[in-house]
Amino acid sequence: MTDVSAPSIVQSAAPVWAELPPALATPPGAGAVCDAAGARKIGRGAAEGVFLGGAVLVAHASLTARRLGLSPPPRSADMMDVLELYAFVRPARFCAPSPSGLALALVRSEPKGAEAQAQALRDAAADLLNELTDPAYPGREDAYTLAGTLDRAGWSWGSRVLAALQAGPLRDRRERGTGLDVWSRLAEWEDEAPRGEAGSAPVDSESARIRLDKLLQASGLDESRPAQSDYAAEAAYAFSPRNEEGRPRVLLAEAGTGTGKTLGYLAPASLWAERNSGAAWVSTYTRALQRQIDRESRALWPDEAERRKKTVVRKGRENYLCLLNLQDMMQAAQLGNGDLIGMGLVARWAAHSRDGDMTGGDYPGWLPGLYATAPSHQASPANLVDRRGECVHAACPHYRLCFVEKTIRASRRADLVVANHALVMTQAAFDGARSARGLKQDGETAALKRIVFDEGHHLFDAADSAFSAALSGQEAAELRRWIRGPEGRGRRGRGLEQRLGDLCADNEAAAKALKDAMIAAAALPGEGVSGRIAPASGEINPIGPIEAFLVAALEQLRARSQETGGTEFGMECALRPATEPVLEAARAAARAIAAVEAPLLALSRHLEDILDEEAAELDGAARARIEGALRGMDRRARMTLPGWRSMLAALEEGGDEPDPDFVDWLSAEAAFGRIHDVALRRHWIDPTVPLEAAVVMPAHGVLVTSATLSDPAAEDPFQLARMRTGAARLIEPARTLKVDSPFDYAANSRIIVVNDLMKDDPRQVAAAMRELFLAAGGGGLGLFTAIRRLKTVYERLGPDLAKAGVPLYAQHVDPLEVGALVDVFRAEQDSCLLGTDAVRDGVDVPGRSLRVLAFDRVPWPRPDLLHKARRERFGGKTYDDALARGRIAQAFGRLIRRADDRGVFLMLDAACPTRLFAGLPPGTEVQRMGLAEAVELTKSFLNPETT
């Protein structure tokens, strides 16, 4: 795998081949253009003229267009996005999608103001083209071949990139190919002998301290902080051998921000893996933390080649590029049905990617959204990963190159597997189900014996998602397509017959089961289900018993929903007492589901028979295909379908009495006033019951850690943590540890409740954020508990900040996914960002880029049916308080990330009770004051030199 490292940037004037058009920058409230004569400010009308009037350099064409009030532009020879050039020149290397991001990636200073940003764009384009001319530029031949293909496809950068590459040495070739067939240049994975069970050698506290000291020295630090050393020593408990089955060593450890908990637990984890020839798993909730842990593992293995073997980032299949999907879309694009340039850039990235991860890995997530491209043609994860469970495994021509298969095999040999909560739980549940039937575990989590759950405060929510069930129109249509394949014209995909037909051809019973499954699946909803069960015209036309059930469910929803906003934001209502139409339709739906389930189970048994009876004749590829198909059928025929059937059966058997362990309800999801799906849902009231059974109890040692795990307001600070991790039911009680942050929060932070605003008036909220963000000179993060309020405040706040030259970005508004928004916010020191929970949980912005954080109101849990049931079970209003206290503490933890950070935390809700701040670090003080006083305090605290 080639590493495209940056050669020295040529600073001389660009040669003739690199003559560039004007560069356009459009930060809020200003515009600037930079050409050969230099940079100058221009008005919005002139900026629009530059954007539409000929060749122009931009950074993120769609975002630039939105700022000018225009529609996203299509690809054209004139629209030259410098980000796309960066993706070609430096594939699989990070860059925040903005002029500032480009400048920082190219080791230049952050450009402040419109003129500097326009100049930075032009400089970035010249730097990147100059980089291609360096004789040492790696992979020149491959780059030249692909650039030629993209140039012929109309890529706006094609001719310049070719000219730049021609300035260096190239071999003379008559036939170069297209460069699109990245699979011909990827290394194959190789199987190895099983590693075997991990040993039971203990890790003692002193050894953990010594290993931590070595890690810190490798990181360039002199010595560990006492709190960090104590944390590592205590964490060793989770890596000591258990004495009895079902009695794992569990430690609940809170480590305040700045403790250094990542290296603190990597010390005993790596030591355990080394001594026992096993893999220690670290699970996170967010992708950002996965990346951070992967980076910090460099202290363990400084050599990059060794680190790639020792540390593996593990995610679900739906995160990795599927080479067969890429090939399908590539072929369609070559025939004129798709975005060939976008696919070519994905191929360029895939050749250099560490592991093919398209969601949070080294894929530039902003790439598919640069231009106006039909969603079905975009080079996006939605089109290129295996979201649909249609993998043909060994029947795929790229099976030996598959990124997923490589990662699975690498995780079996690694010392450290960095996974996520969702993967750990769903895979453990699946492995548990297979083990209960006497089958071998899947292999991905067979070694899941030592687990660190970082961001442990999210464990309850992750379990809630992993162990829930939903029978909806979209889910049922997905199952139909998995069985029958795509039935619409021009749709890609592979049904069961395409995946298994040839394997079943010589087995009459298997062939009949396959045929029966295909026929039975016709009763499931097909494409366009929402248009039949909830059409805009009102003319309902359900097809099949599942759709008829969903129509009856929607009628009950409309009759009983308490949502005052109608269908604008969706609806929900209790399932019981169910109406007669719902009960009647449920019976027919249950029969249809059983009719699908039976032949799939039969097919599964017949495939197992083929593995047994034809063991001597089956080659490795056929065996791999059957085993892959069995895993898919196990998930659907033994987990999903029985879950749906049991929900419907409970409706009939349970009468009007709800199950004490579950919450069943009906819901409708809506967008722009239209219903797009209806569902019957079932969640555990306490999802830690299956969490404990599937994950915690089978493990030997579990460390649950977070900066906000305890609740200081409670008599027992760890009582809620025990309940929300499943530790409360353990035979051997979990140990607890609390390590305070070393930061001086009293000196470096201010906490303010603004007490003279009406929180329900978006004008007042927008005005407050405007004055506070301007007082800080930018660096503001506004957190909202509802998307609607966020958008309303953005509309009012944006123009006001723009006049002051302060960039404002917003989740659910800007055409960037959350990770890219945070990257831009981090890169632009004086920008501001509005977001919801996903931003709060994913922000890691040390330094001045984040210096003001404002909640629009108290982040109380949403009082839906599920939460009401849990509140009743877990302590009433004290449960609400604890959840809100935790969210406030988590948000506050985003503000101060380093010892020298300074920040102001604000709550724009006068009704916020003081008790909700009990989770903040010791030494902090809550002040209540009016907005004017808060603005003055913010200004003087963050900019003491100006007062």
Side-chain angles (χ1 to χ4, degrees), residues 738-749:
K738 183 176 172 63
V739 179
D740 290 333
S741 169
F743 296 159
D744 187 351
Y745 289 103
N748 292 347
S749 67

Side-chain angles (χ1 to χ4, degrees), residues 215 218-219 262-263 265-267 270 282 289-304 306-313 354 415-418:
L215 294 182
S219 301
T262 303
L263 288 181
Y265 61 65
L266 286 183
S270 62
V282 178
L289 186 56
Q290 272 188 296
R291 292 196 300 267
Q292 179 185 324
I293 294 168
D294 180 39
R295 287 194 302 269
E296 296 212 27
S297 71
R298 289 172 183 154
L300 286 163
W301 303 288
D303 179 74
E304 187 63 22
E306 182 184 17
R307 188 171 73 89
R308 289 184 177 184
K309 291 181 180 179
K310 296 287 191 179
T311 304
V312 173
V313 177
R354 172 181 172 182
D415 283 7
L416 183 68
V417 179
V418 185

Side-chain angles (χ1 to χ4, degrees), residues 20 102 160 204 219 231 250 370 456 510 723 889 893 911:
L20 296 169
L102 283 162
R160 288 176 172 81
D204 60 275
S219 301
Y231 176 90
V250 178
L370 297 182
M723 184 275 293

Side-chain angles (χ1 to χ4, degrees), residues 90 96 99-111 826-828:
R90 296 187 171 189
S100 296
L102 283 162
L104 294 172
L106 292 165
V107 201
R108 291 178 175 268
S109 59
E110 181 193 346
R826 185 186 298 110
E828 299 181 5

Side-chain angles (χ1 to χ4, degrees), residues 3 254 314 335 361 376 380 385 465 497 531 538 631 728 911 930:
D3 179 21
E254 176 175 292
R314 187 71 188 94
L335 295 173
S376 60
S380 64
V385 302
S465 177
E497 192 165 31
R631 285 194 293 270

